[in-house]
Amino acid sequence: PGVASLRGVALALALTALGLAAPGWACADIFLNEILADPARDWNNSGAVSSRDDEWVEVINAGTAAVDLTGWRVAGPDSIWRYEFSGVLQPGQVQVCYGKQSYDWETAHGFPAFGLRLGNTGGELLLFQMVGTTPVLRDRYAYSDHEAEDDRSSGRSPDGGANWALFDALNPYTGTEVPLGNACAPSPGSRQTCATPVQPTTWGRLKALYHS
């Protein structure tokens, strides 16, 4: 079963690259919403800080109907399944998966057990929906090195929106690479409540915004 899963993910990626899986994007209401790759605190409230267990990824239901998350899985660019979400997600709600949950799911299903394996110098996460036995790519996000510093998360702003931002209140980013920091804190498992994000302005930031 593990080999079949790997082949299925590889096929889905190949079809997407060729533009043959494009119709699947239009009907997807579940999206990646926020990702934290380099934890420096106890995000999952286990009582200990773990670079594996405290990584997390959040998905959101951006549609108007409840969605059964059975079959919605995340994978990395290595095409190995990380986790399958579960339960019913209501419109506008989010669900988070921590690295420990990923590790336990991998162990239970016979996959290499490493947790979410989010790279701390940049990486990519992919969201699939299993349609029968075929994985259909629904969403993906590639994050860069500055997004993967201690306790910074990358997320859609606003929740479920088209644009991504850097939530850097716990570790301010002063560079000019996009996404720029917005002085909001990561919010695993809950909607973002930072209503008026503030971006420290420098001449370098202005040049990056208007001359990119």
Side-chain angles (χ1 to χ4, degrees):
V3 173
S5 296
L6 293 176
R7 288 174 177 168
V9 176
L11 174 61
L13 291 173
L15 290 174
T16 300
L18 294 172
L20 300 179
W25 290 80
C27 63
D29 290 327
I30 304 299
F31 296 97
L32 297 170
N33 194 54
E34 194 171 351
I35 299 167
L36 188 141
D38 191 4
R41 62 188 63 205
D42 182 18
W43 285 101
N44 71 346
N45 296 314
S46 67
V49 177
S50 168
S51 59
R52 182 196 71 190
D53 295 349
D54 288 309
E55 291 181 332
W56 51 267
V57 56
E58 180 186 85
V59 294
I60 188 169
N61 180 356
T64 58
V67 175
D68 182 352
L69 292 181
T70 302
W72 287 86
R73 299 181 179 182
V74 288
D78 56 8
S79 301
I80 297 176
W81 295 127
R82 304 287 206 262
Y83 183 72
E84 180 174 322
F85 291 91
S86 62
V88 174
L89 199 60
Q90 298 296 326
Q93 286 188 339
V94 298
Q95 185 177 126
V96 65
C97 166
Y98 293 98
K100 181 61 165 66
Q101 291 172 267
S102 170
Y103 178 85
D104 291 343
W105 184 87
E106 291 163 338
T107 300
H109 291 82
F111 293 105
F114 297 108
L116 290 170
R117 286 164 283 180
L118 302 176
N120 293 349
T121 57
E124 185 176 27
L125 198 63
L126 303 100
L127 178 67
F128 291 88
Q129 181 187 15
M130 299 299 296
V131 180
T133 59
T134 301
V136 178
L137 182 63
R138 296 300 193 188
D139 198 12
R140 67 197 306 168
Y141 184 71
Y143 57 92
S144 58
D145 182 39
H146 80 285
E147 297 173 75
E149 295 295 330
D150 287 359
D151 289 337
R152 291 178 187 164
S153 70
S154 302
R156 295 182 181 274
S157 182
D159 288 302
N163 297 319
W164 285 72
L166 179 64
F167 300 107
D168 65 337
L170 303 177
N171 182 9
Y173 175 61
T174 59
T176 58
E177 292 186 57
V178 292
L180 300 177
N182 64 5
C184 292
S187 57
S190 62
R191 295 292 298 264
Q192 182 58 245
T193 58
C194 184
T196 56
V198 176
Q199 294 183 356
T201 302
T202 65
W203 180 241
R205 283 177 178 271
L206 291 174
K207 288 194 293 185
L209 285 172
Y210 295 105
H211 297 285
S212 57

